[in-house]
Amino acid sequence: MENLKLKDFLDYKYLSGLELSPNKKFGAFVVNSSDYDENKYLSNIWIYNCLSNVYKKLTTMNNEKNFIWLNNDILLFPSTRDEKLKEKIKEGEQWTSYYSININGGEAEEYMRIPMVVSDIQIIAEDKFLITAIYDHYGINLHSLIGDEKTKAIDIIKENKDYEVLDEIPFWSNGEGFTNKKRNRLYLYDKGTNSLTPISKQFENITLCSVRDGVALYISENFTNKKEQTTGLFMYDLYSKEATCVIEDGEYSIDFAEFIGDNIVFCGSLMDKFGINQNCNIYKIENGDIKLLLEHDFGMHNSVGSDCRLSGGKDVRIYNNSIYFVSTESKSSFIKKLSLDGTVEKLTKDNGSVDCFDICDDGILFIGLRGNKLQELYTLKAGIETQMTKFNEIIIETKNIIKPEFIEFINDNNTIEGFILKPVDYDKNKMYPGILNIHGGPKTVYGSVFFHEMQYWANEGYFVFFCNPRGSDGRGDEFADIRGKYGTIDYDDLMKFTDLILEKYPQIDPTRIGVTGGSYGGFMTNWIIGHTDRFKCAASQRSIANWISKFGTTDIGYYFNTDQNQSSPWDNVEKMWWHSPIKYANQAVTPTLFIHSEEDYRCWLAEGLQMFTALKYHGVDARLCLFKGENHELSRSGKPKHRVRRLEEITNWFEKYLK
């Protein structure tokens, strides 16, 4: 077996977007791989035959990231292959071109062109589609212009590229850029007449949920100055062309909705007890009345962290009048089945994460990280999981993969769960450096799933240890609730976990331990260096330094910061300052590397610059590596070369101070 190398993640395959055909005989999914030389990812659609268990590559143009089933044999996927269309898009025209391909063979052919940037699409009838697409209130529509008018409009678009006008919050969004007065709008597209008809209002943001019997179900939020955290639920009758409000906006934060039998079910949170991080319940709407179907104290969705995914897929499904959903409990995510009588059944085992799934009479097909393996496609039949693909099997067969050892302890009557990776070729008679890794969120979890950076560090001779302190997901609302407590009970859990690790493993040199983390983990790294000198070095990634400045500069700051700190800059500013790591930067002595991305609008660059400047000002060794063209997802889905450089920067910093 070979030691895992830093660049080995470039050979991993990343699976996503699983969807079964209407007749449930085939599954389609996307396989992504890295192209280091071109510094991008290659994405193609694959087909899995549910009867023969054979899987094959369907597309080969390396840019097919999503799709829908047109019928049992044909897939539609967006792609820009026509050179003239590419030139039009460069000039500023908005287009989404869909291609069709038969899963039984043949070349892809252009099927239709929609004069919008489509974000979601559903078939409602032959040649008729419901779509959501980006509507820009301040944008210029070139489609209706010709001649000098079009030339002048193109010149205006070029001129406006140097400017951004802001008149609402949030004005930008991580991964999307500036979003001011841009909305995900609902449209009806008729392929036969090539007509596009807006359905929702110009300032409504729409999530299209489902279409049945000529009725569309969608989640809506309508705002012009400040986006709130509640949403409404609506139905639109495609025949009468009338919208009906099912749930008024203002009470629930709705995450999912779907028709079931003659009724509607939805996942929503009232946010009344634990704020914006409160877990969703599942409700049924029957004869206009909202009835609680399941009061759920666990996260709805997979929150088990890994740096070995690129995209997701659907994690809630309706089948045979039951709701199937992914839920995170403890250190794993599971598929659960909820019947309409309120009975809940857990269908999968405590063995990692389920990333997306689909379901039929014969069982469940899902993509997941199971055990120590990278992503693969699995079937679940009669309670038995079977791995059906071997995209990443060579990694498991040829590389040293360290199995995480599970550790738990009690702190303040709470059980804290954690893990440790021993260094490769571990010798109990030797001394080793150690790394504490802190997850983001804070409402996510570490599990035993494959995590490249930590496996790599263990292969480089480090003990790597990580845990789920209070604030993490998977243990219920009360455990996850650290509003107004950042840097207190969570910090205590992490420090006592470190104490336990050093006691349990005397082979770790306590004078050679480092700490790192991203997002919330970056906040905690910044907090740690201002409150203890026990770590020889630190690597703070996409961090939070100042809750006051973050309030006014990031996409979620104006509501996340106030909710999580139970204060605002005008209401107990002293509390926001008390919980800000920058307040304690003058006490820091730990050499610290800062990793930030220029387009990270979640934890903006200004946060890292403040901490970096403070440490330099006080004579502490510090280094900041800024990644241009990257956002908050750098460590997970950043460009391949940038992900390599990021891991090199952190590893070199640890090598400098810990070895």
Side-chain angles (χ1 to χ4, degrees), residues 13 55 373-376 378 387 389-399:
K13 299 295 187 291
Y55 55 101
K373 293 190 173 187
L374 287 153
Q375 282 183 318
E376 300 289 357
Y378 294 84
Q387 181 180 329
T389 60
K390 294 186 176 182
F391 288 103
N392 292 298
E393 201 69 16
I394 191 171
I395 302 297
I396 305 303
E397 292 174 348
T398 61
K399 301 293 182 177

Side-chain angles (χ1 to χ4, degrees), residues 275-291:
I276 61 173
N277 277 344
Q278 184 171 316
N279 287 320
C280 289
N281 294 328
I282 300 180
Y283 299 87
K284 179 173 67 171
I285 303 175
E286 188 173 10
N287 298 322
D289 295 328
I290 299 175
K291 298 181 179 180

